[in-house]
Amino acid sequence: EILVHLENVESMIKKKRNAMLEKKKKRTKDEKSSKGNIEEDLAVGASRDYELELARESVEKNLVSPGSLFASLLKPLLHVCRNSKSFAGHPRLMTNAVMCLCKMMYVSVEFCDEHLQLLFTL
């Protein structure tokens, strides 16, 4: 839910910034001043994009950091996924474990890099 909220805020900010750029384009008649204003707006927009990216990275790291709730679930999740032959008699458990593994990979790029091979061996 945190990532969904972050994506919604990010989308809203980008829409507002694009609307402001369009309004400024319509207002300016002089090409030179228009070009300068647009360049300034793009620089401000780039810095805001950078701030949003930093916020996204922070959320990703905190969701799977050692003290978080998700981190406490990783050990049993990885145990089930690594020992798929032992849990072959429990198809629902295996299905949910693989789905959870995929979702955790979606949340954290680092987690994905570390456990991508596991996903392909299942």
Side-chain angles (χ1 to χ4, degrees):
E1 290 182 28
I2 295 170
L3 288 175
V4 171
H5 176 69
L6 184 62
E7 287 177 3
N8 289 339
V9 169
E10 187 177 337
S11 174
M12 184 176 58
I13 290 172
K14 287 180 181 180
K15 285 180 184 177
K16 285 182 180 180
R17 185 179 60 237
N18 289 338
M20 286 182 1
L21 282 173
E22 289 299 321
K23 285 181 183 178
K24 285 187 179 185
K25 283 182 185 178
K26 289 179 183 177
R27 288 183 194 166
T28 57
K29 293 181 182 178
D30 184 21
E31 275 187 36
K32 290 182 181 179
S33 65
S34 172
K35 185 177 180 182
N37 288 337
I38 290 173
E39 288 174 354
E40 288 175 13
D41 292 340
L42 290 175
V44 170
S47 68
R48 288 182 183 160
D49 286 343
Y50 178 72
E51 290 172 2
L52 288 171
E53 188 62 31
L54 287 177
R56 177 181 293 283
E57 287 177 13
S58 174
V59 168
E60 283 182 11
K61 287 179 183 177
N62 288 331
L63 283 174
V64 293
S65 65
S68 71
L69 176 65
F70 289 125
S72 64
L73 300 173
L74 291 179
K75 191 172 181 178
L77 168 69
L78 293 173
H79 174 75
V80 170
C81 291
R82 287 182 179 136
N83 299 307
S84 59
K85 292 180 182 176
S86 301
F87 295 101
H90 306 281
R92 187 175 287 172
L93 174 65
M94 285 304 302
T95 303
N96 287 325
V98 172
M99 289 299 296
C100 185
L101 181 68
C102 291
K103 287 180 181 183
M104 292 301 292
M105 287 179 168
Y106 176 74
V107 168
S108 172
V109 173
E110 291 174 11
F111 183 84
C112 183
D113 290 340
E114 291 174 20
H115 299 96
L116 190 60
Q117 184 63 38
L118 175 61
L119 181 66
F120 287 117
T121 58
L122 291 173

